[in-house]
Structures are given as structure tokens and as C-alpha cells.
Amino acid sequence: DTGVSQDPRHKITKRGQNVTFRCDPISEHNRLYWYRQTLGQGPEFLTYFQNEAQLEKSRLLSDRFSAERPKGSFSTLEIQRTEQGDSAMYLCASSRTAKGTKNIQYFGAGTRLSVL
Amino acid sequence: AQTVTQSQPEMSVQEAETVTLSCTYDTSESDYYLFWYKQPPSRQMILVIRQEAYKQQNATENRFSVNFQKAAKSFSLKISDSQLGDAAMYFCAYRSVQYGGATNKLIFGTGTLLAVQP
């Protein structure tokens, strides 16, 4: 159990550029979640996957955002045509829904995005 | 929609003393989970304690315990014998129980920044 891994830890980009973040969940965790956390706020849910299926998307996830989990393992979150309002910490979490696991969400350290 | 409110943006406690962080929530559901997560500076968020709403007994984990008042929709965290390593942002969170289509997401409060004074 190496924990949830996110890459990169920090990303600085210019407005209008596209960025992609990667999340590697804890092995054997079938659920993967993305949250966004802005300064002074708690994390806000963006989307989640069960295996490779994207089961829920928040209204926060505009058309410029897309998330994938192609083989039910790692996931990517892409933001197209970034805006300054996209500056935030993007958190990934994973959980396992097997009986007795309590479906606890374990978080990665996050990717901090700064849009200039 | 469910909401979580943490009314204490910052708290301070002396080392070895006890501190209580407040959390209230709003929901029309009868069954759900409540959590306290700890987020140290520049580090990942970790689960401190979990409470199932159908259980009347308050959860405890070593120095951490909760006071769960379901009727009042209150879920406070008590940290006993505070240590320097307890300094962090603490988030209260809510999750629906998964019954056929219920969302799996966590709903967080805005957090309480806890400082521990030596």
C-alpha cells in the first residue's frame, strides 16, 4: 500500500493553455474521486469513477474539464483553455468497496495549479 | 442538498490540553456517515475518525473522540492531550449511505485551522 499518488505536485501555466494531471490510486481500489480545493475552502467534489465507469459529475465540472480512467487503474484530469479561476489544489482520492472495508476515501497530496 | 458548517476558522490549544472543534450539518436523510479529516500543511489529508449515523455510540480513536448529537445535527471533535503534531487544518465531512444510486461523494465544511502552542 503505497498510498494515492498525484503528479505533478505543482503546475504553473498561462491562461488558455491545456493541463493534465495524473492520479494513481491505491492498488485494488475500485473507486477514484477528484475534488477541487480553493484557498480557505474545503474540498469540493468534481467526479468519481467505479472501475473505468464515470458514475457522477458535479456541475463544477464544466465542458473544459474532462476526466478519464481508461483501464480502471490510474486516472487523468484535463483542463482545456485554463482560466485564472481554475487556480486551485486538485485532490484525488480512492476507496475500495469490498465488504468490511468501510469504503474509506484515502487522499493524495494533490496537484496545485496556478494559472497566470 | 446536504451542507456542512464549521463555524470556527481558527482554534488554538496548549500542548497537553484538550480542544473541541465544532461541526454542524444539514440533511433530510436518516442514515449517513460523518468524518473528521486532518490536513497538515502541504501534506495529504488523512482520516481521523468516522461515525455512522445509525450508531448512537460516539466513535473514539485513541486521543480523538466525537460528540455526535443526531437530533441537533452536531458532530464535534475532541482532541485530548494535544500534541504539536496535531497542528493542522481539520475538515468535517458528510457522506450519504449508498442505497441504490445515492451519491458517493464527500461534502466538506470550510475547515478549522488548529494551532498547538508549546
Side-chain angles (χ1 to χ4, degrees), chain A residues 31 33 56 103 105 107, chain B residues 37 44 95 98 103-104 106:
Chain A
R31 288 190 173 172
Y33 316 78
E56 185 176 357
N103 195 18
Q105 293 184 28
F107 283 80
Chain B
Y37 276 88
Q44 65 204 89
R95 198 186 89 208
Q98 300 167 56
T103 185
N104 197 47
L106 289 170

Side-chain angles (χ1 to χ4, degrees), chain A:
Chain A
D1 181 351
T2 57
V4 178
S5 177
Q6 292 190 245
D7 184 69
R9 293 293 308 278
H10 303 275
K11 179 70 177 178
I12 299 174
T13 191
K14 293 182 178 179
R15 190 176 52 187
Q17 298 293 306
N18 299 344
V19 295
T20 300
F21 312 140
R22 176 178 170 127
C23 172
D24 287 89
I26 295 170
S27 60
E28 298 182 354
H29 277 197
N30 57 334
R31 288 190 173 172
L32 186 147
Y33 316 78
W34 286 99
Y35 293 84
R36 182 172 70 184
Q37 185 179 18
T38 53
L39 202 60
Q41 299 296 317
E44 295 175 289
F45 171 79
L46 292 178
T47 188
Y48 98 92
F49 295 83
Q50 177 152 317
N51 300 314
E52 66 276 6
Q54 190 173 17
L55 296 186
E56 185 176 357
K57 295 198 299 185
S58 162
R59 285 174 292 179
L60 292 174
L61 213 65
S62 75
D63 291 345
R64 295 184 299 104
F65 289 69
S66 63
E68 294 183 342
R69 194 182 183 199
K71 295 182 179 179
S73 56
F74 73 92
S75 174
T76 58
L77 177 67
E78 180 183 17
I79 308 174
Q80 296 183 329
R81 305 181 303 282
T82 53
E83 302 173 355
Q84 288 185 325
D86 298 331
S87 296
M89 176 76 85
Y90 290 84
L91 297 172
C92 177
S94 69
S95 71
R96 186 179 176 205
T97 55
K99 190 175 182 180
T101 62
K102 300 182 180 180
N103 195 18
I104 299 297
Q105 293 184 28
Y106 295 87
F107 283 80
T111 293
R112 182 168 296 283
L113 173 65
S114 297
V115 182
L116 305 179

